[in-house]
Amino acid sequence: MAKSGALDLATGVGGKIKKEEVESAVETYEKYHVQFGGDEETRKTNYSDMVNKYYDLATSFYEFGWGESFHFASRWKGESLKESIKRHEHFLALQLGLKSGMKVLDVGCGIGGPLREISRFSLVSITGLNNNEYQITRGTELNRLAGLGNSCNFVKADFMKMPFPDNTFDAIYAIEATCHAPDSLGCYNEIYRVLKPGQCFAAYEWCMTDHYDPNNEIHKKIKAEIEIGDGLPDIRSTYQCLDALKQAGFEVVWEKDLAADSPVPWYLPLDTRHFSLSSFRLTAFGRFITRTMVQVLEFVRLAPAGSMRVSSFLEKAAEGLVDGGRFV
Ligand SMILES: C[S@@+](CC[C@H](N)C(=O)[O-])C[C@H]1O[C@@H](n2cnc3c(N)ncnc32)[C@H](O)[C@@H]1O
């Protein structure tokens, strides 16, 4: 069902960007980041362009290597990556107390992997909000194939300015998406506005822990690798996110660092020292094969020029995430 063949990966690079413009889009994207002379302010001012270019360039790699849900998960021993991802989604649905008939919003929904899983798990209709047109096209097709074409829908819009009236939704969730916001308060304000009073918002948020030292050059390098490799303007601390939630009007009823006591580290699938047959494409050898394949496909022009550069910054992201995850 998912597009997971080598050719799908190659032809998908660039998303809605014209194939002949992919290389210049990679260049523009890279220039937003520290390694290429970019700075945080420019990334924040141009977040929409930066994040959209990132997902146009990276989505087919995500789908090829990771699947339809674009997020990490805390993981139990003996669980496969896929199982842990589903459980992580079910857990969030249960925390929200989703029930049939509720009007639910998925903020920054990717190609809808979590949306489909949660919709089937809780028997709810979900609206997926996403600012990336390519992902919405993919998600719409995958919803149709899953038989959810009539019960779930997508809206193309920016989560900093949502096109919904106040008090629209009975429940809202966001999975590893609001980290792309130029400021978390602006984004949480919007979520609070469109949520009905007294109802709940649940999120898996990417945060820097207290171990991060902004004066440590190694820490700064790792943070910059994650930002370029994941399309982020700036990674905020747990404290900043919690504070922004409260400022937006939320009462924080439960929060936890899920990475802290995950029996299997969340970053393990990306760690090249780890081998897994079930997530072979993420292993060192799997990644070597993907890299070589992309190189060949770009050479014979089945993949657009610039594809290898996308593969490279995604590899950097993987290294940064593993290094960051191990720094505890
Ligand atoms: C890491 S992906 C997670 C996708 C999805 N939640 C999942 O777990 O599969 C982040 C998503 O946030 C979306 N996004 C980023 N910035 C956005 C914005 N300003 N407005 C709406 N969506 C945004 C991206 O297009 C992408 O789909």
Side-chain angles (χ1 to χ4, degrees):
M1 191 155 87
K3 281 192 177 182
S4 58
L7 213 55
D8 296 318
L9 161 63
T11 52
V13 180
K16 294 279 179 188
I17 299 168
K18 285 189 191 140
K19 296 301 165 200
E20 61 276 18
E21 290 170 11
V22 167
E23 190 149 37
S24 70
V26 176
E27 207 152 303
T28 310
Y29 174 74
E30 285 172 340
K31 283 190 181 146
Y32 281 124
H33 293 275
V34 174
Q35 298 89 333
F36 293 84
D39 60 63
E40 188 183 316
E41 232 16 77
T42 317
R43 286 198 295 283
K44 286 185 173 171
T45 313
N46 300 285
Y47 70 93
S48 191
D49 182 62
M50 194 264 294
V51 177
N52 261 321
K53 281 207 167 57
Y54 174 79
Y55 280 109
D56 273 327
L57 296 169
T59 296
S60 69
F61 281 91
Y62 272 50
E63 225 183 314
F64 180 79
W66 201 262
E68 292 180 28
S69 290
F70 296 168
H71 62 83
F72 291 97
S74 58
R75 194 160 151 201
W76 293 94
K77 291 202 184 337
E79 241 181 0
S80 70
L81 175 63
K82 277 205 165 77
E83 286 165 347
S84 69
I85 283 177
K86 280 193 182 190
R87 183 184 41 72
H88 205 57
E89 292 165 358
H90 298 170
F91 178 75
L92 186 129
L94 291 171
Q95 295 304 304
L96 275 175
L98 297 186
K99 286 189 188 61
S100 180
M102 279 180 155
K103 209 168 150 56
V104 182
L105 180 69
D106 178 333
V107 175
C109 63
I111 59 168
L115 174 148
R116 285 182 287 283
E117 187 59 34
I118 292 175
S119 166
R120 288 180 292 226
F121 180 73
S122 298
L123 300 179
V124 281
S125 302
I126 306 178
T127 296
L129 180 81
N130 193 341
N131 211 19
N132 185 273
E133 202 182 320
Y134 175 68
Q135 290 193 337
I136 289 190
T137 307
R138 282 292 300 133
T140 305
E141 173 65 1
L142 291 169
N143 275 10
R144 190 187 62 75
L145 292 170
L148 294 167
N150 293 328
S151 56
C152 293
N153 70 317
F154 294 97
V155 172
K156 164 142 182 11
D158 184 348
F159 55 44
M160 304 301 289
K161 333 169 205 139
M162 297 193 201
F164 308 115
D166 297 357
N167 312 331
T168 302
F169 295 97
D170 298 300
I172 303 184
Y173 67 87
I175 303 182
E176 301 186 13
T178 45
C179 49
H180 291 288
D183 81 291
S184 39
L185 178 58
C187 178
Y188 296 154
N189 273 339
E190 271 299 86
I191 292 171
Y192 190 85
R193 180 184 70 74
V194 301
L195 184 63
K196 289 181 185 166
Q199 301 303 105
C200 291
F201 164 55
Y204 291 130
E205 187 65 275
W206 278 29
C207 301
M208 302 301 286
T209 68
D210 294 344
H211 295 282
Y212 178 69
D213 174 2
N215 298 313
N216 179 318
E217 288 307 317
I218 299 175
H219 289 197
K220 275 166 59 178
K221 179 174 169 284
I222 293 173
K223 180 172 180 277
E225 274 174 3
I226 298 174
E227 285 164 355
I228 188 170
D230 294 280
L232 302 174
D234 174 40
I235 314 172
R236 293 166 280 261
S237 70
T238 312
Y239 169 78
Q240 285 172 311
C241 291
L242 287 171
D243 190 51
L245 279 168
K246 288 172 198 161
Q247 277 191 56
F250 288 105
E251 176 195 352
V252 179
V253 290
W254 192 71
E255 53 102 2
K256 182 175 166 58
D257 177 357
L258 289 176
D261 54 4
S262 173
V264 177
W266 59 272
Y267 56 82
L268 199 74
L270 296 178
D271 192 335
T272 46
R273 284 159 291 201
H274 169 75
F275 183 81
S276 157
L277 262 186
S278 63
S279 32
F280 175 73
R281 286 175 178 174
L282 298 169
T283 62
F285 190 50
R287 267 145 68 176
F288 168 76
I289 294 177
T290 305
R291 208 167 33 244
T292 311
M293 188 186 80
V294 172
Q295 203 165 13
V296 171
L297 290 170
E298 183 171 337
F299 183 73
V300 299
R301 296 172 188 242
L302 279 170
S307 300
M308 268 308 288
R309 278 165 75 175
V310 180
S311 172
S312 298
F313 69 64
L314 290 174
E315 291 251 7
K316 273 269 152 275
E319 285 164 27
L321 287 164
V322 172
D323 288 346
R326 288 166 63 84
F327 246 109
V328 273

